[in-house]
Amino acid sequence: MEYRNLGRTGVRVSPLCLGTMMFGPWGNSDVDDSVRIIHAALDAGINFVDTADVYSGGISEEITGRALKGRRDDVVLATKFFMPMDPDEPNHRGGSRRWIIREVENSLRRLGTDHIDLYQVHRPSPDTDISETLGALTDLVHQGKIRYLGSSSFSGSQIVEAQWVSRDRHLERFVTEQPPYSLLVRGIEQDVLPTLLRHGMGSLTYSPLDGGWLSGKWRRHGASTPTSGARPKARFDMSSPDNQRKLDAVEDLALLAEEAGMSLIELSIAFIIRHPGVTAAIVGPRTMEQLEAYLPAASLTLSDEVLDRIDQIVAPGVTINPDDNSYGDHELLPAARRR
């Protein structure tokens, strides 16, 4: 497997990053099986693992920590904070110094490690000054508890603001961004990916199969429902006009994959990791069979003809269903638009 530079950090990572959201009650509750899947991914050459405190209420981090015992030094380990960890406690969430300093200790304990390679804020917060978040994360770097900082689901302007604050206040900067990206969700091509390239940042993109839409599971004559309670059901409402357009695109993409001699899954992941602004695509298997279906994409190269056909099916920079975007939510709420 080839390895790539993670931005300008000097760290080398695999083009596939193992996502662990499906390990635990949200997906695969069999701990031993989840550990086997993680070991298989590492044995296949994946050296980049991404999790989050909120996945299955911390259980995903615990499973990940158990699987990495004895192999921790060979893995670039990423996790995230921000989402509510206790719905009844208003301060057990967010990007405040108070929460970050506390929650990093919880993640370190669950992961069974003394440091986190990449600590990412899971979402931007309109209520928290970015300097508050960056200041706390900078202190954790100085303490040796984290190595690098990352963001997730930041818009282009939020990425730039964070870079400027780091420069002006002499704080550690975000070296990565984690945005959604797939054949059906291409909005980041217009702004986020070019911004990352300009600032020398790496990217680990999530949902390369768009939550199952590109796995072959949802087709025009065989629509189903999500298997995980972690997935917003509104995104799978097949009566939605936007989702009807997605079903049409999936049919065309599936035919293109067949003509190119690969599976729809392989086409989808290969497309993501060949963009110059993408460092790695996060793949989140629930079963060993799913992992095995993802791995071949790492060695595939799509021809210009195939890429042109993809652009005809879904235009560059277009997200067919805006609900699939995970940034810009606050700016589009009525309270932010009414005048």
Side-chain angles (χ1 to χ4, degrees):
M1 188 174 293
E2 67 168 319
Y3 294 90
R4 303 169 166 192
N5 291 319
L6 185 63
R8 295 176 182 165
T9 64
V11 174
R12 302 277 288 175
V13 296
S14 51
L16 300 183
C17 174
L18 181 69
T20 69
M21 189 176 79
M22 289 292 100
F23 301 144
W26 283 9
N28 187 346
S29 295
D30 187 328
V31 174
D32 291 336
D33 188 47
S34 296
V35 169
R36 281 192 293 270
I37 295 169
I38 295 173
H39 286 171
L42 301 183
D43 293 341
I46 292 177
N47 74 337
F48 200 6
V49 177
D50 176 75
T51 186
D53 56 0
V54 74
Y55 295 163
S56 292
I59 295 176
S60 172
E61 283 188 328
E62 293 175 354
I63 293 172
T64 301
R66 174 175 166 178
L68 295 184
K69 283 184 179 178
R71 308 181 71 165
R72 172 67 184 90
D73 291 343
D74 299 325
V75 171
V76 178
L77 179 59
T79 191
K80 300 181 286 293
F81 68 92
F82 184 84
M83 300 300 192
M85 292 299 288
D86 185 337
D88 297 323
E89 292 292 340
N91 290 312
H92 289 197
R93 68 190 72 186
S96 70
R97 170 178 291 272
R98 184 181 190 274
W99 178 239
I100 292 170
I101 297 301
R102 174 175 176 176
E103 185 60 2
V104 72
E105 299 295 343
N106 292 332
S107 285
L108 289 169
R109 172 179 48 79
R110 288 189 292 258
L111 290 165
T113 186
D114 63 356
H115 73 280
I116 294 163
D117 294 306
L118 179 63
Y119 200 40
Q120 305 157 97
V121 55
H122 212 149
R123 291 291 187 273
S125 172
D127 303 321
T128 307
D129 193 320
I130 191 63
S131 64
E132 165 94 359
T133 301
L134 288 168
L137 293 172
T138 296
D139 288 345
L140 294 179
V141 171
H142 294 167
Q143 294 168 20
K145 293 179 180 179
I146 63 176
R147 300 291 188 258
Y148 301 103
L149 287 53
S151 58
S152 178
S153 296
F154 274 45
S155 67
S157 65
Q158 290 166 331
I159 293 168
V160 172
E161 179 190 12
Q163 294 292 313
W164 286 359
V165 168
S166 294
R167 179 195 63 191
D168 294 346
R169 304 194 182 186
H170 306 289
L171 300 171
E172 294 290 327
R173 73 184 190 101
F174 291 137
V175 300
T176 62
E177 160 62 14
Q178 185 177 144
Y181 189 33
S182 75
L183 287 167
L184 304 174
V185 183
R186 301 183 61 176
I188 65 168
E189 293 175 341
Q190 191 169 38
D191 187 15
V192 171
L193 289 178
T195 300
L196 299 182
L197 286 168
R198 286 197 301 273
H199 287 275
M201 297 173 65
S203 65
L204 46 161
T205 64
Y206 67 88
S207 289
L209 302 181
D210 195 23
W213 278 88
L214 293 165
S215 67
K217 186 172 185 179
W218 286 278
R219 300 291 293 271
R220 172 61 66 186
H221 301 295
S224 183
T225 56
T227 57
S228 169
R231 303 201 183 281
K233 290 183 172 51
R235 289 179 53 198
F236 300 87
D237 178 4
M238 298 306 167
S239 66
S240 160
D242 289 330
N243 285 339
Q244 286 294 310
R245 286 191 285 272
K246 284 177 68 172
L247 287 172
D248 290 337
V250 169
E251 294 299 322
D252 292 339
L253 291 167
L255 179 60
L256 174 59
E258 183 179 353
E259 293 173 353
M262 62 186 72
S263 70
L264 178 58
I265 289 173
E266 292 167 351
L267 176 75
S268 301
I269 298 174
F271 170 80
I272 297 302
I273 62 178
R274 296 306 162 189
H275 191 290
V278 172
T279 308
I282 299 174
V283 292
R286 183 174 50 85
T287 66
M288 189 70 75
E289 290 74 20
Q290 289 176 350
L291 174 65
E292 292 170 348
Y294 302 155
L295 292 173
S299 59
L300 292 177
T301 300
L302 304 183
S303 68
D304 288 344
E305 179 183 0
V306 169
L307 291 172
D308 289 342
R309 289 276 302 281
I310 289 172
D311 289 347
Q312 291 170 2
I313 297 169
V314 182
V318 170
T319 295
I320 297 177
N321 184 348
D323 287 338
D324 291 330
N325 285 325
S326 62
Y327 52 88
D329 294 343
H330 299 291
E331 291 85 352
L332 297 180
L333 290 174
R337 295 183 290 108
R338 297 292 183 253
R339 53 222 182 251

